Amino acid sequence: MKIAVLSGKGGTGKTLVSVNLAAVSGAADYIDCDVEEPNGHLFFKPQKLFAESVKLKIPVVDYAVCTGCRECVEFCKFNALAYIKKLIIFDKVCHSCGGCVRLCKYKALREQDKIIGNIEVGKADNVTVYTGILNVGEASGVPIIRRLLSLADDCCDTFIDCPPGSACAVMESIKDADYCALVAEPTVFGLHNLQMVIELVKLFEKPHGVILNKCAGSPNPSEQYCIDNNIAVLGKINYDNELGAINSNGEIAVNAREKYKTLFLSLLNTIKEAQK
Ligand code: SF4
Ligand code: SF4
């Protein structure tokens, strides 16, 4: 079963939830798709198995051959090409479709590999940890996420720690998930971000439920929204200084205290029941 854990913004407890669900589930794959700032590995401290770089194909021009016809500029729908005295390639916005290279009848363009980031795979007890790292300054982590998700096998439960927000990188992260667990804070801002991801998972027709984090009694706008809109609440994690301290120290809560093991086991069972 592939469980994507997401939230509309950073800092809601997405990594806390996905790391602890993976750790409590026995054998599991944990995939850190938050490639701009991956931090799940800080909890697992995995023994490295292998690493690889992620490359894109970017066009390069041979100015000795280019006639300046500008057909490639007209063709590129991503505005990655411009002609200002000579052909200019904006590799940061190039989507590596390869179209311009095939289009140029003068064979003035060819493709060249460009490294945009890395993947590291390691093992921590029974959890295989997949970490994607996008190089600073690169525009999109989607190719890294695509590669990360292709590496995980189907032999055990997979926990996908999604990037924050609801843009392309999140869509790529959830597209093959069997279930989406949405982590929400008990504030007006938390509700606003929760609504964004609910819209997204509905668009993808994914079964989903909400984990209410940092609960501190009433009012809880996110909980009230779930009740009013008939959205499954998978469980609550109370505002808890001890849990915060364990998490801040880079420890895995389910390994540190029996009470957190019970909490996350219950959450995992609820998710599995909800997915049936
Ligand atoms: S299509 Fe080929 S020849 Fe024409 S501007 Fe582009 S690279 Fe140059
Ligand atoms: S490879 Fe595709 S996206 Fe990149 S410059 Fe060529 S046409 Fe544009």
Side-chain angles (χ1 to χ4, degrees), residues 256-275:
R257 298 281 184 280
E258 198 60 31
K259 62 179 177 179
Y260 299 129
K261 187 172 180 183
T262 306
L263 171 71
F264 282 96
L265 255 181
S266 163
L267 263 179
L268 182 60
N269 290 334
T270 307
I271 291 171
K272 291 196 166 182
E273 279 301 310
Q275 199 266 333

Side-chain angles (χ1 to χ4, degrees), residues 28 62 103 120 153 184 186 224 254:
D62 181 345
L103 177 93
E120 289 178 4
D153 51 41
Q224 194 57 52
V254 298

Side-chain angles (χ1 to χ4, degrees), residues 4-34:
V5 180
L6 62 159
S7 62
K9 71 175 186 67
T12 53
K14 192 169 44 59
T15 298
L16 167 81
V17 169
S18 41
V19 162
N20 281 280
L21 286 177
V24 87
S25 80
D29 284 341
Y30 166 83
I31 305 182
D32 198 343
C33 290
D34 191 357

Side-chain angles (χ1 to χ4, degrees), residues 61 65-73 83 87 103-104 106 108-109:
V61 60
V65 180
C66 176
T67 63
C69 73
R70 302 179 197 205
E71 282 180 26
C72 56
V73 179
Y83 200 93
L87 186 68
L103 177 93
C104 177
Y106 304 100
L109 291 169

Side-chain angles (χ1 to χ4, degrees), residues 173-191:
S173 305
I174 68 166
K175 86 175 181 216
D176 293 327
D178 301 305
Y179 193 86
C180 290
L182 317 178
V183 185
E185 286 178 346
T187 61
V188 172
F189 296 109
L191 171 58

Side-chain angles (χ1 to χ4, degrees), residues 59 75-76 78 80-81 94-100:
F75 172 83
C76 181
F78 300 100
L81 300 173
C94 171
H95 279 55
S96 302
C97 73
C100 56

